[in-house]
Amino acid sequence: MNLESQSGIGAGKLRSAEWGLIAVVIGASLLFRFATLSGPLDEPSWRQVWSAFQAKTLAAESPPDVMHVKMNFRGRDWVAVANFPFYEIMVAGFYKLIGSENLAMARLITLFFFCAGAYYLFRVVALWFGPRVGWYSLAAYSILPFSLFYSRAVHYDVPVIALGHASLYYGIRFFRDRKVWLYLAAVAVTTVGFLIKPPYLFYFGLPLLVFLLLERKNLWLDFLLLGLLYVLPLAAGLWFEAHRVSTEANKVSGLLYEVLHSAAHARKWYFGGVAERLDSARWGVLLRRVYWLVLTPFGVFAAEVPLSG
């Protein structure tokens, strides 16, 4: 079933007023982001301290020890390899080029990945529902409170989300167009994403599975190709997870960082158990966060005020 070809809101062309509204929303959100590139790390945000410190230590090393990245816990350097330092390596490379730490440069790299992720999100939505819905989705994504904050944060989550969007886009394009380069592109971005944060890329695979079920073209062959697409990413993720477990086996959890001493511990940390899925109180917390921090004008205001102050 080709969703894009169906009639409906996605099939029509944008009117001039709609183009203007979308341009204002996206333009204003970008201006705000560029205006908040400078300044110290956002407080309180220990996760940004994590990435910023690791990028700084990598820049000071020649060559950078990417398999044993340092984190300053309890006043001393401590190897912390929870995630492959893809983002931190890029930031460290720019630090080496300019000769010093520069948080504005780190935020600019994050913003680049946010824009890349927004672009791929637009392409995915346009493929399924038409360009009109794609443009509105892009405008909404650009102004959401969480995107305003994280799109210029010194942290690796935004690159992982961008890789997830790219993985989904290239996967859908491959199963529609059957071009080898699209399959290879999907494998490449998914592999990098699995090295950094496998759970994110795992969840991005679910919409691709839904797409195949809706298309119903050579279903068994497509399922096989989908499974093969994840072989290399899964192998890369398991390889780095084994490295993490062996490196942190004797470490003790701190206040801000819980050491995941086994693969089973990591799975429970990232995915949880069935009982947690059935806990209504947890769903209530999530729904309140979605309402206040993602969907409401108050959420936009709450995200902008501390960043612009």
Side-chain angles (χ1 to χ4, degrees):
M1 180 172 61
N2 190 328
L3 295 177
E4 186 182 359
S5 65
Q6 295 183 13
S7 60
I9 187 172
K13 292 183 178 181
L14 289 170
R15 297 186 294 271
S16 297
E18 291 176 297
W19 278 118
L21 174 63
I22 290 171
V24 167
V25 170
I26 295 175
S29 69
L30 285 175
L31 285 175
F32 171 78
R33 289 176 169 93
F34 280 113
T36 57
L37 287 178
S38 60
L41 290 175
D42 306 310
E43 295 290 346
S45 185
W46 70 268
R47 300 177 77 198
Q48 292 191 66
V49 174
W50 172 293
S51 291
F53 187 88
Q54 290 194 334
K56 187 176 181 179
T57 56
L58 285 170
E61 296 172 345
S62 294
D65 190 357
V66 298
M67 296 301 291
H68 300 89
V69 191
K70 314 303 185 298
M71 184 62 228
N72 188 277
F73 281 117
R74 299 163 185 159
R76 60 186 176 85
D77 286 355
W78 184 17
V79 174
V81 290
N83 311 94
F84 184 79
F86 172 77
Y87 168 78
E88 292 81 358
I89 291 169
M90 293 189 66
V91 174
F94 279 95
Y95 285 178
K96 281 183 176 290
L97 285 176
I98 62 180
S100 64
E101 180 186 27
N102 188 308
L103 292 180
M105 176 62 71
R107 290 185 174 115
L108 198 59
I109 293 171
T110 307
L111 186 54
F112 164 79
F113 278 107
F114 172 79
C115 291
Y119 166 77
Y120 282 115
L121 175 66
F122 163 75
R123 295 300 300 270
V124 168
V125 175
L127 277 174
W128 268 20
F129 303 106
R132 192 178 190 211
V133 179
W135 282 112
Y136 273 106
S137 299
L138 178 60
Y141 186 68
S142 70
I143 202 67
L144 290 176
F146 270 18
S147 79
L148 286 172
F149 179 82
Y150 279 106
S151 63
R152 29 81 57 220
V154 183
H155 196 257
Y156 53 78
D157 271 0
V158 171
V160 175
I161 292 172
L163 290 165
H165 290 171
S167 170
L168 182 56
Y169 169 71
Y170 288 121
I172 291 174
R173 280 286 312 278
F174 166 75
F175 285 110
R176 283 202 168 171
D177 301 341
R178 303 291 174 171
K179 293 181 179 178
V180 175
W181 76 268
L182 291 168
Y183 192 81
L184 295 178
V187 171
V189 295
T190 306
T191 300
V192 177
F194 260 78
L195 278 172
I196 308 171
K197 210 157 190 177
Y200 283 26
L201 274 291
F202 167 80
Y203 285 114
F204 277 112
L206 299 180
L208 187 54
L209 178 61
V210 172
F211 170 80
L212 295 182
L213 292 172
L214 291 174
E215 289 286 300
R216 293 186 175 278
K217 295 178 180 177
N218 302 315
L219 204 54
W220 291 111
L221 175 61
D222 287 349
F223 282 165
L224 175 62
L225 291 171
L226 179 62
L228 292 174
L229 190 155
Y230 281 92
V231 168
L232 183 59
L234 204 55
L238 290 172
W239 164 73
F240 193 78
E241 174 66 7
H243 169 67
R244 183 198 65 75
V245 170
S246 64
T247 302
E248 299 188 343
N250 298 319
K251 290 185 168 51
V252 179
S253 295
L255 179 64
L256 298 178
Y257 178 59
E258 180 174 355
V259 178
L260 307 178
H261 287 102
S262 66
H265 191 179
R267 285 194 299 271
K268 181 174 176 55
W269 175 265
Y270 283 115
F271 294 101
V274 175
E276 292 169 305
R277 296 289 186 273
L278 301 177
D279 187 343
S280 60
R282 293 175 184 268
W283 284 105
V285 171
L286 289 175
L287 290 173
R288 286 195 295 273
R289 288 179 177 177
V290 168
Y291 178 73
W292 288 109
L293 300 178
V294 177
L295 299 178
T296 66
F298 170 79
V300 175
F301 178 76
E304 289 183 354
V305 168
L307 296 182
S308 57

